[in-house]
Amino acid sequence: MESLMHVGFRVRVINPNSRFKSFKSPSIPMDARRNTVTCIRSQQSGTKDGPLIATATSDSLVEELKSKDWEIGVLKDEIAATQGIRIRRRPPTGPPLHYVGPFEFRLQNEGNTPRNILEEIVWNKDTEVTQMKEIKPIYTLKKALENAPPSRDFLGALKASYLRTGLPALIAEVKKASPSRGVIREDFNPVEVAQAYEKGGAACLSVLTDSKYFQGSFENLEAIHSAGVKCPLLCKEFIVDAWQLYYARTKGADGVLLIAAVLPDLDIKYMLKICKMIGLTALVEVHDENEMDRMLAIDGIELIGINNRNLETFEVDTSNTKRLLEGKRGETIRQKDILVVGESGLFTPADIAYVQEAGVKAVLVGESIVKQKDPTQGIRGLFGKDIAG
Ligand SMILES: O=C(O)c1ccccc1NCC(=O)[C@H](O)[C@H](O)COP(=O)(O)O
């Protein structure tokens, strides 16, 4: 996908209502773009006879590239919309300052605020990742992975726990705060929480790494990994770029979350391939029927999470899990041997029994256990019994 963004290509928009039926991307070949960048860099290092003409050419080329990249972003949103994706990936800045493209595109700058919290998070993440990529280019991450220890088997740990206890395997979430609940645990020591979860019988852990909205961090993930916690670790992030997969793996993740509400099918397929290549288990998250159907049409998905929380409105409804596993969808899931995780809003043994009855073999739980003084006891309370091995 990333390369598509940077090479000249023609996009045909399938949506019949689209204002942009066909669009020819910048026909500036990859090499020319590299040369542009090289040219700018050499100017920055600045020889005194650095040609002024080159500055003008570079500046206008950079402006043109920015504008075209922005237009492509808008078109990608349109393609995503044909898959029922409502989250727009357009950066919050709108068109570049000197944008002189089509009038329709210029108009789109109006009302350029996120429509809901998930969109806001994703826009913020796009900016954050762009900056991080500058600091740690992907080749440095790939290099680091050459000597990285093998990842742990996230899916295997869930299956083993389910077989051992006969209850849904627990992915216990290391979560200090959230947009919907604010601060959930004041005296938050991520390593102590992780160790308490492991002692209580969690099969895997989910570690929030977003700092702005969840007060999480990659340092937390790394610290839990280095402390010798044996449970496989899910990097709970808002993945918008394949770079993040490599980064997560270098920080000790064994699994990552891919959110169907954010990522179009092609991105999911591409990221699944990278996950496989670098030893990450992908937990693909859905919230509604459309997302479930899209994911069931993609080959190679082994783990699907059904989020009971609507990430646009914060509304939580555990019957969501049941609804998405009914009928034909449930049958397809069984045929494909996909393990389903029930996520969010689970507080009591009755909640666990309800989602197990619906067909889940694992649950992802944060608030109800992290807010207990002793999270080990929190797990006992959640299941109504001791599930430690
Ligand atoms: O939890 C939120 O407020 C939230 C807001 C926006 C995007 C994602 C959000 N949460 C991620 C999750 O779905 C939960 O952390 C996870 O499933 C655990 O949920 P819970 O047991 O209810 O803490």
Side-chain angles (χ1 to χ4, degrees):
M1 282 301 290
E2 201 174 49
S3 58
L4 277 187
M5 292 281 292
H6 295 95
V7 206
F9 70 105
R10 182 175 284 279
V11 179
R12 231 173 63 74
V13 180
I14 311 118
N15 179 0
N17 299 322
S18 168
R19 280 155 299 149
F20 319 113
K21 295 280 189 303
S22 171
F23 169 75
K24 174 87 170 64
S25 87
S27 53
I28 302 158
M30 186 89 108
D31 282 354
R33 289 179 171 220
R34 271 198 208 109
N35 289 341
T36 312
V37 174
T38 315
C39 176
I40 295 162
R41 285 215 182 102
S42 65
Q43 280 174 359
Q44 278 169 348
S45 58
T47 54
K48 83 173 159 9
D49 48 2
L52 276 175
I53 297 163
T55 310
T57 313
S58 304
D59 286 352
S60 55
L61 260 176
V62 167
E63 281 309 313
E64 191 189 345
L65 291 178
K66 274 193 204 157
S67 297
K68 291 301 179 191
D69 276 351
W70 182 82
E71 282 183 4
I72 290 167
V74 175
L75 288 163
K76 283 181 86 189
D77 280 346
E78 288 224 352
I79 292 167
T82 66
Q83 293 168 16
I85 297 174
R86 292 179 298 276
I87 300 301
R88 297 168 300 169
R89 291 288 304 281
R90 197 151 38 103
T93 46
L97 204 57
H98 305 295
Y99 182 71
V100 287
F103 182 61
E104 291 153 299
F105 277 140
R106 268 181 278 147
L107 272 185
Q108 294 221 349
N109 198 20
E110 287 169 14
N112 196 18
T113 47
R115 284 189 291 225
N116 55 59
I117 184 68
L118 183 57
E119 197 164 82
E120 185 189 319
I121 294 173
V122 164
W123 285 5
N124 185 71
K125 195 56 69 181
D126 256 326
T127 313
E128 197 182 294
V129 171
T130 306
Q131 289 162 1
M132 293 282 287
K133 281 165 83 171
E134 295 262 315
I135 302 165
K136 282 187 189 294
I138 196 152
Y139 70 87
T140 61
L141 303 179
K142 286 183 177 169
K143 186 95 197 121
L145 287 183
E146 282 171 15
N147 304 314
S151 54
R152 279 92 47 104
D153 183 359
F154 195 92
L155 185 57
L158 295 180
K159 286 181 176 168
S161 174
Y162 178 73
L163 277 176
R164 179 176 65 76
T165 65
L167 288 165
L170 174 65
I171 307 172
E173 189 150 279
V174 181
K175 180 182 194 183
K176 173 169 182 171
S178 74
S180 61
R181 293 283 191 262
V183 174
I184 302 168
R185 188 181 178 98
E186 285 286 355
D187 64 329
F188 183 76
N189 179 324
V191 173
E192 278 174 20
V193 170
Q195 286 167 337
Y197 282 160
E198 183 158 75
K199 192 170 155 212
C204 297
L205 306 185
S206 159
V207 184
L208 278 151
T209 49
D210 175 83
S211 58
K212 187 171 161 90
Y213 298 92
F214 293 86
Q215 298 190 33
S217 71
F218 279 96
E219 286 75 34
N220 289 356
L221 180 65
E222 223 170 8
I224 292 168
H225 188 256
S226 309
V229 171
K230 291 190 188 66
C231 293
L233 304 177
L234 178 79
C235 171
K236 193 82 181 303
E237 244 309 337
F238 295 85
I239 303 282
V240 292
D241 189 304
W243 177 91
Q244 293 168 280
L245 305 174
Y246 290 90
Y247 189 61
R249 178 75 173 85
T250 64
K251 295 291 177 185
D254 305 291
V256 284
L257 184 76
L258 303 179
I259 305 178
V262 171
L263 299 167
D265 298 354
L266 206 57
D267 283 5
I268 297 267
K269 288 178 194 170
Y270 173 60
M271 291 188 184
L272 283 172
K273 284 204 176 114
I274 293 181
C275 284
K276 220 177 186 93
M277 229 167 66
I278 63 176
L280 287 172
T281 298
L283 170 59
V284 181
E285 181 177 292
V286 301
H287 174 69
D288 61 23
E289 284 87 347
N290 176 56
E291 289 167 12
M292 179 65 102
D293 292 343
R294 281 174 48 215
M295 295 308 110
L296 291 181
I298 293 176
D299 284 335
I301 294 181
E302 297 176 298
L303 190 58
I304 289 184
I306 300 177
N307 204 337
N308 297 315
R309 176 174 288 114
N310 180 328
L311 303 186
E312 295 175 32
T313 63
F314 293 155
E315 196 183 306
V316 179
D317 178 2
T318 47
S319 72
N320 202 44
T321 296
K322 186 169 184 314
R323 216 182 59 250
L324 294 197
L325 291 176
E326 274 165 359
K328 186 105 184 36
R329 291 188 184 92
E331 259 172 53
T332 310
I333 285 165
R334 283 187 291 278
Q335 271 164 18
K336 290 187 145 209
D337 196 23
I338 293 170
L339 193 140
V340 178
V341 185
E343 301 178 6
S344 300
L346 304 172
F347 286 82
T348 64
D351 291 336
I352 298 293
Y354 177 76
V355 289
Q356 180 168 19
E357 179 68 21
V360 312
K361 292 206 169 101
V363 287
L364 196 159
V365 184
E367 183 186 346
S368 70
I369 49 177
V370 80
K371 73 180 181 189
Q372 304 304 325
K373 192 169 184 316
D374 176 0
T376 305
Q377 291 301 332
I379 294 175
R380 280 191 200 130
L382 175 68
F383 284 88
K385 63 196 273 198
D386 188 350
I387 60 156

